Amino acid sequence: MADLHLPRPNYRIDGLKAVTEQTEEDFSSVTLSDDMFLPLVEHHSADGRDSYLLMYDWAAIWDVPGTAEYVALHISRDDEHRTFDFASEALPTVPLAQNWMIGHGCPDEAVELSSIHWPRPADALTSRLEEQLRANPDGRYTLVDHHTRHPGPAGLGVEVQVLLHDAAPDSASRPYRLFLQETTVDFRSYTVREGAFATADAVREWARDRSCALPPAPCSRPSGGRLVRAARTRSSVTSDADLPRGSLPGAPHRTAAAPARARRSVS
């Protein structure tokens, strides 16, 4: 996969200066290893003021174990002053990154993956669960923790654990959700399954033990129309500092990333 020879990300900032020196430093930090970025989504607004990119970061595998591998980027330009600003976020799965992009103004129809060879949903349930996360209707989900595990000697596929808090009323008794994404060894497809738990600690206990199946989540009431439209009028999935973090099995408590791997989020 790493030898696809795809074009480098097109930031469209030639002839522009960063709005501040700090912005320039931060942008350089985020894009320092962009020769390892695989573009999956690239959208540029018709007026040229905004660009949205979703990229897979091949270099993340050498970072702290469990590091998120998808980078979402929003570049905004001021033609009058010939400057640019940006926001970026590293996220563990494509739907969460798409949700972030939509929350920053990207049209929902523009966040679909390009036609490159990339793992695809293995079944309808996977697609439905991903649509829930991509749309995040009424801002119901808050990202608590995540961990990405790569194959070891056992030759298993990539596994991503995403721990969310669900604010939907019908989830009050078990508001913590584990979305488990498992990609096949041949990297052709993946499944996503959802489990519901009463506490974040219960999620972590299940992830350590795995002696039983994921406890099923209650079925939510369907939303009218395409769910993604709801994302335009609410906040994107964000971290909540009041919730426990950094202790999914195999994911040590995270300290700040090294400067070359820093991610900047600008409101």
Side-chain angles (χ1 to χ4, degrees):
M1 289 296 294
D3 58 351
L4 290 177
H5 303 297
L6 292 177
R8 296 279 288 274
N10 187 2
Y11 304 125
R12 297 194 179 186
I13 57 173
D14 291 345
L16 303 181
K17 292 183 178 181
V19 66
T20 67
E21 291 184 3
Q22 186 62 55
T23 299
E24 182 176 4
E25 291 179 9
D26 291 341
F27 189 78
S28 295
S29 177
V30 168
T31 61
L32 181 63
S33 59
D34 65 357
D35 58 330
M36 299 292 285
F37 286 175
L38 176 65
L40 300 177
V41 176
E42 189 172 301
H43 172 73
H44 307 282
S45 63
D47 61 10
R49 290 183 176 275
D50 296 278
S51 291
Y52 301 89
L53 298 96
L54 170 57
M55 300 160 290
Y56 180 77
D57 184 3
W58 288 105
I61 193 172
W62 294 293
D63 206 323
V64 176
T67 294
E69 299 180 338
Y70 293 92
V71 178
L73 182 67
H74 172 213
I75 298 173
S76 55
R77 306 176 187 85
D78 185 330
D79 291 336
E80 180 180 353
H81 297 95
R82 303 299 296 166
T83 59
F84 75 92
D85 202 351
F86 83 102
S88 72
E89 193 72 33
L91 291 157
T93 65
V94 167
L96 294 181
Q98 291 170 320
N99 170 268
W100 184 94
M101 295 167 71
I102 293 170
H104 281 74
C106 186
D108 57 325
E109 66 274 9
V111 301
E112 299 300 326
L113 297 191
S114 61
S115 58
I116 68 168
H117 176 64
W118 198 249
R120 299 295 176 179
D123 50 33
L125 176 56
T126 294
S127 296
R128 180 177 66 80
L129 292 175
E130 288 198 309
E131 183 69 9
Q132 286 181 203
L133 296 177
R134 186 180 297 113
N136 191 23
D138 301 319
R140 62 181 287 184
Y141 296 117
T142 300
L143 181 60
V144 179
D145 203 359
H146 58 83
H147 181 260
T148 299
R149 184 191 61 78
H150 276 269
L156 302 175
V158 179
E159 178 187 273
V160 182
Q161 301 174 16
V162 178
L163 173 56
L164 302 169
H165 182 270
D166 186 0
D170 55 3
S171 299
S173 62
R174 290 186 293 157
Y176 288 92
R177 300 300 175 87
L178 178 65
F179 284 81
L180 186 66
Q181 177 177 304
E182 296 177 298
T183 303
T184 58
V185 177
D186 60 14
F187 212 61
R188 291 179 181 272
S189 64
Y190 60 91
T191 58
V192 176
R193 296 296 182 260
E194 176 188 16
F197 300 82
T199 66
D201 285 341
V203 176
R204 296 177 176 113
E205 182 178 350
W206 180 92
R208 282 191 296 269
D209 181 53
R210 300 203 184 195
S211 60
C212 60
L214 275 171
C219 293
S220 300
R221 292 184 296 274
S223 301
R226 180 169 166 78
L227 291 176
V228 176
R229 285 194 285 267
R232 293 179 172 178
T233 58
R234 49 87 193 121
S235 300
S236 62
V237 175
T238 56
S239 299
D240 187 334
D242 293 331
L243 294 171
R245 294 182 58 78
S247 54
L248 280 173
H253 185 73
R254 287 178 174 76
T255 57
R261 301 281 304 150
R263 302 293 189 223
R264 177 174 182 256
S265 182
V266 180
S267 58

